């Protein structure tokens, strides 16, 4: 691949078959911005998709130069991070920061996708400059990478924290539709919360970061936070047949403590 000049865009998406990675790839190709991606699924490898597995990384894949890289890959399953903290930290922190170092040395501007999990969820709408307080290993790993980026080559990267990203393939929404199709009750929690952002808004925001290459820490979330039951009511407001199946349910794991998931949106001007 030909080396890029500073005015050209040549985008690398780490984890191109993830929810965000795939949508970003489709979007960039549609507007004529060249991009390639990585996948750890060998059946997905093609001319524009390189094999790369954070669990056993071959960093030689990245001996070419890219103008931007978006980090969409990693272990996102919270339970898996709790049950295998050593292995998941190796992927989410050690190998991730090693890759970012290589990319930065090659002049690549890195956009690292982080999460509201860097906070403990004791209050709604955390600000970008609030002190982090993760209660999960997953959130702690995100904090470690954020701190690493702030201390190392901060001029070559930015962080975008996200709340719950929603698309047509979001598992809990798919489950609700399957329950409705089967005529089953749609159980939705009244004591667990979600601050949903549409996948298209996330992609537009990442595109904006690609264009202006801002330094620092940014956040994107919904202006509202809903219980899952409230969100189901909003989502199905034009489907009375599905509204009739909604059953408000209390999550027994959240009875003693409400856990919020919202962020105060903070984006570059």
């Amino acid at each position: 691949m030909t080396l890029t000049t500073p005015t050209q865009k040549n985008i690398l998406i780490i984890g191109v078959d993830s929810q965000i990675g795939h949508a970003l790839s489709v979007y960039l190709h549609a507007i004529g911005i060249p991009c390639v991606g990585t996948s750890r699924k060998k059946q997905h490898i093609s001319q524009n998709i390189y094999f790369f597995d954070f669990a056993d990384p071959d960093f030689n894949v990245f001996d070419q130069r890219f103008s931007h890289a978006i980090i969409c890959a990693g272990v996102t399953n919270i339970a898996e991070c709790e049950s295998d903290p050593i292995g998941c930290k190796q992927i989410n922190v050690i190998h991730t920061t090693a890759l970012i170092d290589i990319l930065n040395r090659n002049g690549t501007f890195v956009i690292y996708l982080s999460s509201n999990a860097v906070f403990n969820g004791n209050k709604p709408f955390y600000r970008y400059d609030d002190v982090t307080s993760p209660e999960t290993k997953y959130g702690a790993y995100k904090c470690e990478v954020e701190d690493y980026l702030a201390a190392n080559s901060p001029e070559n990267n930015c962080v975008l924290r996200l709340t719950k990203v929603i698309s047509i393939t979001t598992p809990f929404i798919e489950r609700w539709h399957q329950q409705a199709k089967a005529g089953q009750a749609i159980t939705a929690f009244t004591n667990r919360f979600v601050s949903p952002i549409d996948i298209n808004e996330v992609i537009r925001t990442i595109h904006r970061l690609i264009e202006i290459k801002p330094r620092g820490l940014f956040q994107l979330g919904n202006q509202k936070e809903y219980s899952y039951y409230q969100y189901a009511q909003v989502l199905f407001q034009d489907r009375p047949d599905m509204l009739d199946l909604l059953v408000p349910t209390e999550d027994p794991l959240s009875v003693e403590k409400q856990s919020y998931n919202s962020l105060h949106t903070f984006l570059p001007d």
Side-chain angles (χ1 to χ4, degrees):
M1 185 175 296
T2 304
L3 295 184
T4 61
T5 65
T7 58
Q8 292 176 317
K9 293 186 180 69
N10 182 30
I11 313 295
L12 172 66
I13 302 172
I14 306 296
V16 75
D17 44 13
S18 65
Q19 175 184 224
I20 295 175
H22 174 71
L24 180 61
S25 175
V26 171
Y27 175 89
L28 292 177
H29 282 299
I31 62 175
I33 295 180
C35 68
V36 298
T38 72
S39 174
R40 63 185 179 88
K41 299 176 181 178
K42 293 186 177 180
Q43 67 270 28
H44 290 177
I45 305 309
S46 67
Q47 183 178 357
N48 292 320
I49 300 180
Y50 304 124
F51 177 75
F52 181 74
D53 186 353
F54 266 127
D56 184 22
D58 176 7
F59 295 115
N60 291 323
V61 172
F62 307 106
D63 60 356
Q64 301 159 13
R65 183 175 175 183
F66 301 93
S67 61
H68 304 69
I70 298 86
I71 310 293
C72 303
V75 181
T76 59
N77 187 294
I78 291 177
E80 185 177 352
C81 289
E82 297 296 327
S83 63
D84 181 20
I86 295 176
C88 291
K89 181 172 182 176
Q90 193 80 3
I91 292 170
N92 284 12
V93 180
I94 297 172
H95 291 163
T96 296
T97 53
L99 171 59
I100 292 171
D101 281 344
I102 292 169
L103 293 169
N104 282 166
R105 285 198 299 270
N106 288 336
T108 302
F109 184 82
V110 173
I111 300 172
Y112 175 71
L113 301 185
S114 189
S115 166
N116 61 277
V118 300
F119 299 112
N120 60 20
N122 287 345
K123 69 172 187 177
F125 297 103
Y126 284 91
R127 300 183 65 84
Y128 79 98
D129 54 357
D130 282 340
V131 177
T132 54
S133 53
E135 289 202 338
T136 64
K137 297 291 186 185
Y138 174 72
Y141 301 151
K142 289 293 185 184
C143 284
E144 287 192 55
V145 177
E146 287 187 6
D147 292 344
Y148 184 87
L149 295 182
N152 297 272
S153 300
E155 70 280 1
N156 287 328
N157 62 71
C158 72
V159 173
L160 178 63
R161 291 175 181 156
L162 300 169
T163 57
K164 184 66 176 177
V165 180
I166 300 295
S167 73
I168 58 174
T169 60
T170 299
F172 76 86
I173 294 177
E174 280 193 326
R175 184 178 68 252
W176 286 347
H177 280 285
Q178 289 168 359
Q179 289 172 327
K181 187 175 181 180
Q184 300 172 346
I186 303 172
T187 56
F189 293 129
T190 57
N191 61 334
R192 285 182 58 189
F193 296 84
V194 62
S195 182
I197 42 176
D198 185 82
I199 184 72
N200 295 307
E201 184 177 4
V202 174
I203 299 310
R204 288 192 297 268
T205 300
I206 294 174
H207 180 211
R208 182 180 176 190
L209 298 179
I210 289 171
E211 290 294 328
I212 64 178
K213 296 172 67 172
R215 306 170 185 176
L217 177 62
F218 304 100
Q219 297 190 157
L220 178 63
N222 196 319
Q223 294 181 349
K224 296 183 179 180
E225 182 151 26
Y226 307 88
S227 71
Y228 277 80
Y229 177 66
Q230 291 169 328
Y231 182 56
Q233 291 177 306
V234 171
L235 195 64
F236 303 138
Q237 59 185 329
D238 297 324
R239 291 287 307 275
D241 56 322
M242 296 186 75
L243 288 175
D244 289 342
L245 294 173
L246 277 179
V247 177
T249 306
E250 201 170 67
D251 180 3
L253 299 179
S254 299
V255 168
E256 296 180 359
K257 175 185 172 184
Q258 292 184 334
S259 182
Y260 298 96
N261 296 276
S262 51
L263 296 172
H264 175 78
T265 293
F266 175 74
L267 296 172
D269 295 330

